[in-house]
Amino acid sequence: MNVKPKWIRPPGPLNIWKVVDGYETLDDGTKKAAKFSIQDVPNDDKRRQEVLDLMCTHFLAEEPCCKSLEIKDTDPDAKQHYLTLWNYSLDQGITIACYILDSNGEIHKLVGANTLCMKTPETEKDFDEMKKSFKSPAFNKIWDTFEDLSRRADVYKALNVDKYIASISLSILPAFRGQKLGLHILDARSPMAKKYGFKATATFFSAEASQIQAERVGFEDGVSVEFADILDNEGNPKFPNIDSKYAKIMMKRLP
């Protein structure tokens, strides 16, 4: 299901939010110095598909809720619902990507991405429209949990804003983890805020590592619930054997 966003990034050149130093691990195990560009996703089909492939391969396999419900391997409907959300994010134009640069300083390879979306009372209607197509019971467990925590956090009221940046998914290729690239991606929302005039961001964080990184760049808990206390109508855990303790909506005021 394709929903045309009610908010789209204003036209203009691609934003490069920051360039950071790191390394690439070569086939023989040695490390080679590298630079990474934290930036907008270029507006072409190849770069768009790279983001979708990253999320389908790694996010669906590793995000605690998706992993608990075995979405990647058993639930094509849930995968399609995530694709709807990711495409909506890419259509808004503010997804943040991390690319390793070649020797000429040009984009070489996608190594991470954070699919973002602008939340306003108007764009909330977009999500209501998308929700009509969500038929996967497993996906709806995740979505209902997110919506419940979001209502309880009430970001608009808590931070006294009429719009804020939210996130759908964040993933880094395994070979490039351990370099704080996820932290740099999260921190890129600050210069983005100055560019587009919003004052807050909030995200549903389900993985402990992401929660720690978010805290390091200034996010605070809005709502925090133990996964063990998130039950279905029969009193059973919604997310059995999940490898994370807390589900959180974390928020941050931005300059």
Side-chain angles (χ1 to χ4, degrees):
M1 180 180 187
N2 294 322
V3 173
K4 185 177 179 180
K6 292 184 175 61
W7 184 93
I8 296 175
R9 177 177 79 90
L14 288 176
N15 297 292
I16 298 176
W17 304 115
K18 61 169 72 175
V19 175
V20 299
D21 293 320
Y23 60 84
E24 179 182 12
T25 302
L26 303 180
D27 291 340
D28 63 3
T30 60
K31 291 181 170 59
K32 175 185 176 183
K35 289 188 178 295
F36 299 91
S37 179
I38 313 295
Q39 64 168 77
D40 294 340
V41 179
N43 186 24
D44 67 64
D45 291 343
K46 175 186 175 183
R47 296 303 182 185
R48 184 187 191 97
Q49 191 60 49
E50 286 175 343
V51 173
L52 298 176
D53 290 344
L54 171 72
M55 295 302 173
C56 286
T57 301
H58 296 286
F59 179 84
L60 292 184
E62 299 170 339
E63 188 276 328
C65 296
C66 292
K67 184 178 178 182
S68 166
L69 301 176
E70 301 179 341
I71 279 177
K72 181 176 184 290
D73 297 323
T74 66
D75 198 333
D77 286 335
K79 177 180 177 180
Q80 190 58 51
H81 303 336
Y82 270 112
L83 284 167
T84 295
L85 293 169
W86 294 329
N87 276 300
Y88 178 86
S89 167
L90 288 161
D91 286 344
Q92 279 200 336
I94 53 173
T95 287
I96 295 175
C98 176
Y99 296 99
I100 190 169
L101 301 177
D102 64 20
S103 57
N104 296 317
E106 301 293 329
I107 290 173
H108 173 54
K109 176 182 178 181
L110 178 74
V111 302
N114 187 195
T115 52
L116 300 180
C117 55
M118 181 72 82
K119 297 291 288 291
T120 71
E122 283 300 304
T123 63
E124 298 282 2
K125 297 174 185 177
D126 294 339
F127 288 93
D128 290 341
E129 187 65 25
M130 284 185 276
K131 187 177 178 180
K132 295 176 183 177
S133 70
F134 295 163
K135 61 184 180 180
S136 161
F139 179 87
N140 280 318
K141 287 182 180 181
I142 299 172
W143 191 253
D144 290 347
T145 299
F146 161 72
E147 286 195 322
D148 175 57
L149 295 182
S150 295
R151 280 191 295 268
R152 291 162 64 179
D154 195 355
V155 177
Y156 297 110
K157 182 177 180 180
L159 298 182
N160 191 28
V161 294
D162 60 0
K163 60 181 178 288
Y164 66 94
I165 288 294
S167 170
I168 298 167
S169 308
L170 190 157
S171 187
I172 305 290
L173 286 178
F176 292 90
R177 293 173 189 170
Q179 304 187 60
K180 300 182 179 179
L181 296 178
L183 184 147
H184 288 301
I185 289 173
L186 288 172
D187 199 39
R189 297 185 202 182
S190 292
M192 181 187 287
K194 294 179 181 179
K195 176 85 173 185
Y196 297 124
F198 59 89
K199 300 294 184 181
T201 184
T203 294
F204 172 60
F205 288 102
S206 57
E208 183 179 1
S210 295
Q211 292 163 3
I212 291 171
Q213 287 188 329
E215 187 174 317
R216 286 174 177 167
V217 295
F219 282 77
E220 298 178 348
D221 288 358
V223 173
S224 179
V225 177
E226 290 195 29
F227 275 109
D229 295 330
I230 302 175
L231 308 176
D232 62 22
N233 292 334
E234 287 72 45
N236 300 312
K238 276 190 176 182
F239 305 103
N241 304 313
I242 194 164
D243 57 3
S244 184
K245 186 171 183 179
Y246 294 103
K248 297 185 176 189
I249 297 289
M250 300 179 72
M251 6 176 140
K252 179 182 178 182
R253 293 187 184 277
L254 295 166

